[in-house]
Amino acid sequence: MATTPELIDRPRVLVVGGGYVGLYVALKLQKKIANAGGIVTVVDPLPYMTYQPFLPEVAGGNIEARHAVVSHRQHLKQTELIQGRVTGIDHQNRTAVVAPADGGDPFEIPYFDVVVAAGAITRTFPIKGLADEGIGLKTIEEAVALRNKVLERIEVASTMTDAAERAKALTFVVVGGGFAGIECITEMEDLARAAVKNNSRIRQEEVRFVLVEAMGRIMPEVTATQAEWVVGHLRSRGIEVLLNTSLDNAEGTLKLINLPDKTPAQEFEADTLVWTAGVQANPMIRSTDFPLEPRGRVRVLPDLRIAGDEGIIDNAWAAGDIAAVPDLTGSGLPDGTCVPNAQHALRQAKRLAKNLWASRWDKPMSDYKHKNLGAVAGFGEWKGVANINILGRIGLKGGLAWLAHRGYHGLAIPTGERKVRVIFNWLLGMIMGRDTTQLLDLDNPRGAFVAAATPAPKPAAAPAPAAEPAKAPVTADAK
């Protein structure tokens, strides 16, 4: 184990993860803990929190990528920030192991309280070729890459003459019919339409979008009637919706199967495969001594303290997607826990911060209880669906739902500075239109410089002309 780097030597609240929960816990506690003689420390491999509900709009080119993230350094002025990954927690000895983001040697960090807020990662299955050919939609980098790939494939296909290769380039597949998948495919389709309008060599009917969903319906967060309307809406835009269908192979030709009878469904080639089929608790939690439930999440009480069969674990807290938080409203998952979404994570973080501070002074703590306000989804400009639980259930479709989606998330993204940037981003887009500028070589930014700095090879010397054969002397007899 490497020597611990120079850290602030004060009683520490260690926050593992800088996402929704980590950011808000630090925001709410940093000043109070500092005034009490302690320090809040956030450990995360990224220097920012990603507002994931905006990832489809980033992929669709409606939001600037930097506006969908919140800088830790800019907003956590009184927090100790460590860019790295917690790889283990020994709560009995109040220490955690941190692996620096730059690949340096791991080191130990002591703490007084720990807040486990490492969130979730994409859940995948052992499907051949998926790791090589697929891309998720869980990070801002994936959203940017997806936007650029849609634009790049359309541009490249416009000059292709081979019909099969052209069809492959213009086929976009999204696996997963939840909110992320539906918003992703509709934003991509909107972006593709805008790009095709600017390219006379491509016809809209050549572009193919396919949604693959293993269940018999999409978007379980909305009513069955609304889900049926969404399917109809997708198909009206030319998007193929394949229900009760699973991806069986992504190696080369995509192979789909019908789940009810396990028979082959379709086979086709596609250059773009997006995987949005669910999430799972961050596996780092398995490298701790905290109790876990069957789905791999840490067990917590309604007041967000970690607890196992032997009772409450002092000075240990958790919330968000990595925690099995009981839903006291009775409207959560079948196992009685809260749905893993941003709405719950943001509110759990605020309750956790209040309870942790109360515990320092032996004051009463409150349980987390929040009735789901509903769900809103945007399907591109002026299109969407919403199920709002305010003064009764209100179902919205089309433009009104799209406005509700933007209104809710425009207010929900953390910090006033980011709210202003996002809202002005939207207003500018409505006036100037969607930006379909393609950014190239983001994965190889030094390519142009390396090419310029590399001396051109010297041309090969021209071969010497072959010597002409000697001519026989002309004699008098030959004349």
Side-chain angles (χ1 to χ4, degrees):
M1 191 71 63
T3 303
T4 303
E6 186 176 348
L7 299 170
I8 298 175
D9 187 18
R10 283 188 265 164
R12 176 176 286 107
V13 176
L14 176 64
V15 181
V16 181
Y20 304 116
V21 174
L23 176 72
Y24 266 102
V25 166
L27 278 172
K28 298 297 182 181
L29 287 178
Q30 58 179 358
K31 185 176 181 179
K32 293 179 179 178
I33 295 295
N35 290 341
I39 185 72
V40 174
T41 301
V42 172
V43 180
D44 194 285
L46 300 174
Y48 50 76
M49 169 263 193
T50 303
Y51 190 69
Q52 293 177 0
F54 279 160
L55 293 182
E57 290 209 53
V58 172
N62 279 324
I63 293 180
E64 161 66 33
R66 289 174 300 169
H67 298 170
V69 301
V70 180
S71 167
H72 291 154
R73 291 245 172 238
Q74 185 175 352
H75 296 284
L76 299 178
K77 298 292 188 182
Q78 294 176 274
T79 294
E80 181 183 51
L81 299 171
I82 300 176
Q83 200 167 332
R85 193 182 304 275
V86 171
T87 58
I89 297 175
D90 178 4
H91 189 65
Q92 186 174 357
N93 294 306
R94 299 292 198 277
T95 59
V97 178
V98 177
D102 63 1
D105 293 333
F107 59 88
E108 286 189 346
I109 181 171
Y111 63 81
F112 182 79
D113 281 284
V114 64
V115 177
V116 182
I121 64 171
T122 301
R123 180 187 63 185
T124 60
F125 301 103
I127 298 172
K128 285 186 178 180
L130 179 59
D132 297 323
E133 304 298 333
I135 184 172
L137 192 63
K138 199 77 173 61
T139 69
I140 197 70
E141 294 80 7
E142 288 173 325
V144 172
L146 187 54
R147 173 189 180 275
N148 286 326
K149 186 168 186 180
V150 170
L151 296 173
E152 185 267 344
R153 288 292 81 194
I154 290 174
E155 186 64 32
V156 168
S158 71
T159 58
M160 288 181 174
T161 56
D162 184 284
E165 288 299 312
R166 186 177 173 105
K168 179 181 177 182
L170 294 175
T171 299
F172 305 91
V173 180
V174 175
V175 179
F179 260 60
I182 301 299
E183 289 188 311
C184 175
I185 200 168
T186 50
E187 288 286 354
M188 287 169 56
E189 198 268 345
D190 247 21
L191 175 65
R193 282 184 181 275
V196 168
K197 285 181 180 179
N198 294 331
N199 192 327
S200 60
R201 295 191 299 266
I202 292 284
R203 303 187 317 277
Q204 182 61 42
E205 53 268 27
E206 292 183 90
V207 185
R208 182 185 183 191
F209 282 90
V210 183
L211 177 73
V212 179
E213 169 54 43
M215 304 297 290
R217 61 161 288 182
I218 61 172
M219 300 180 75
E221 300 89 344
V222 301
T223 67
T225 300
Q226 286 176 314
E228 290 174 4
W229 177 86
V230 173
V231 170
H233 170 77
L234 297 180
R235 288 172 174 163
S236 73
R237 293 167 62 171
I239 299 173
E240 299 174 38
V241 181
L242 306 180
L243 303 178
N244 294 309
T245 304
S246 176
L247 176 66
D248 186 54
N249 194 320
E251 199 172 39
T253 300
L254 297 185
K255 296 181 181 179
L256 309 178
I257 60 171
N258 290 315
L259 290 179
D261 53 16
K262 304 295 183 182
T263 59
Q266 292 189 36
E267 292 188 13
F268 55 86
E269 291 187 303
D271 273 347
T272 307
L273 173 63
V274 187
W275 181 272
T276 64
V279 296
Q280 60 182 339
N282 194 315
M284 65 77 48
I285 196 61
R286 301 171 195 158
S287 300
T288 72
D289 48 1
F290 295 132
L292 306 182
E293 47 88 71
R295 294 178 61 179
R297 299 172 297 173
V298 63
R299 293 166 59 184
V300 299
L301 298 175
D303 60 13
L304 304 175
R305 289 180 293 177
I306 297 177
D309 293 335
E310 298 179 1
I312 296 170
I313 299 176
D314 293 332
N315 304 101
W317 312 77
D321 293 356
I322 202 169
V325 180
D327 191 329
L328 301 182
T329 69
S331 59
L333 295 173
D335 64 359
T337 60
C338 292
V339 175
N341 61 20
Q343 185 180 146
H344 279 302
L346 293 174
R347 288 167 172 79
Q348 288 169 10
K350 295 176 182 179
R351 172 48 53 197
L352 190 156
K354 290 179 181 178
N355 283 350
L356 190 154
W357 183 246
S359 72
R360 287 289 181 93
W361 311 103
D362 293 324
K363 292 183 178 180
M365 293 180 285
S366 300
D367 290 343
Y368 173 74
K369 185 176 182 181
H370 170 70
K371 184 178 181 181
N372 197 318
L373 298 178
V376 290
F379 301 158
E381 293 179 348
W382 297 103
K383 300 178 284 287
V385 67
N387 190 17
I388 302 173
N389 298 325
I390 300 177
L391 300 176
R393 177 172 290 182
I394 303 172
L396 300 175
K397 297 181 291 187
L400 286 177
W402 179 77
L403 289 173
H405 161 77
R406 286 204 161 178
Y408 174 79
H409 288 299
L411 294 174
I413 186 171
T415 77
E417 170 255 343
R418 275 307 186 251
K419 298 182 201 299
V420 172
R421 290 183 186 275
V422 166
I423 291 171
F424 271 90
N425 214 165
W426 283 333
L427 292 174
L428 186 63
M430 294 176 70
I431 297 170
M432 306 299 293
R434 188 192 303 263
D435 189 344
T436 58
T437 305
Q438 178 189 350
L439 299 178
L440 297 174
D441 298 328
L442 292 180
D443 57 341
N444 183 29
R446 295 184 62 251
F449 177 79
V450 171
T454 303
K458 295 181 178 180
E468 294 185 8
K471 295 182 180 180
V474 179
T475 62
D477 294 338
K479 291 183 179 178

